[in-house]
Amino acid sequence: MIKRRAVAAILFGIATTTVVGCGHARSPAELEDGLNDPDPQVRRNSADGLRNREGVPDEAVPKLLAAIDKEQDPEAYGAEMITLGASGKPEAKPPICKKFGDGDVRMSRWANHAMTLWLKKNPGSNGCTGVSTVPEVPKNAPPGTEASAPKSM
C-alpha cells in the first residue's frame, strides 16, 4: 500500500512538472500571433489559450475570425470555433452555424459545444436557425465517422 502511494506521488510529481514546466505563459498577443502559425497544433493551442474564465479578449475575435476563415485543419478549426463561441460575439455565430450539424462527428460536437458557450452569453437567441439537432452518433464512434443529416425546422 505504501509503495503504491509512493509511486502515485512520484508519477503525480512528474506529470505536474511536465505540464507546468512546458514553456512559458503566453500573452494574448503571442497567442493571437500563433493563430497564423504554419503548424496546426500551434494554431489549436493558441485558440485554446485565448479562452479562459474571463472569456476571450475582444481584440482576439477579429483575428480568430480571420484564422477560422482560412483554416484547413479540422482540430484547429474546432478549437477556433469553440473559442469564438466562448466570446459570445454576434460575429462569431456564422462560422459556428456553418459547421453545426456537419457530417463529421467531431466537427458537429465542436460546433454544438461552441454554440452552447455562445448561447450562455446570448440567452435570448435561438442559436442556429433551421437546425434542431446535432446528428446522433454513438459517443464511442471512431473519429471521422459520418453522421446522418440534422433535422431541419
Side-chain angles (χ1 to χ4, degrees):
M1 185 69 160
I2 292 175
K3 287 183 181 179
R4 283 188 181 170
R5 288 185 183 168
V7 170
I10 290 169
L11 290 175
F12 177 77
I14 291 170
T16 305
T17 303
T18 303
V19 171
V20 174
C22 290
H24 66 287
R26 295 170 60 196
S27 71
E30 289 175 308
L31 292 167
E32 290 168 15
D33 288 344
L35 295 172
N36 295 316
D37 196 277
D39 183 351
Q41 186 63 43
V42 172
R43 295 193 303 273
R44 179 182 179 191
N45 290 341
S46 294
D48 288 339
L50 286 167
R51 188 175 63 248
N52 59 45
R53 290 179 189 230
E54 290 80 43
V56 177
D58 288 341
E59 62 276 5
V61 173
K63 294 177 181 178
L64 281 159
L65 289 166
I68 204 168
D69 190 44
K70 61 185 178 186
E71 188 59 66
Q72 297 296 312
D73 182 77
E75 292 180 357
Y77 190 104
E80 293 160 1
M81 180 170 50
I82 290 168
T83 301
L84 282 168
S87 77
K89 300 294 182 194
E91 58 268 32
K93 188 176 175 182
I96 297 169
C97 291
K98 177 180 173 184
K99 295 294 183 177
F100 198 82
D102 189 275
D104 180 89
V105 174
R106 295 177 311 154
M107 193 62 70
S108 293
R109 287 185 186 148
W110 294 327
N112 189 37
H113 182 59
M115 183 50 64
T116 299
L117 294 172
W118 191 87
L119 285 169
K120 285 181 181 178
K121 299 217 174 179
N122 299 280
S125 176
N126 62 353
C128 295
T129 307
V131 179
S132 61
T133 62
V134 173
E136 290 295 321
V137 291
K139 288 204 179 260
N140 59 354
T145 301
E146 295 298 314
S148 58
K151 298 173 186 171
S152 296
M153 296 178 122

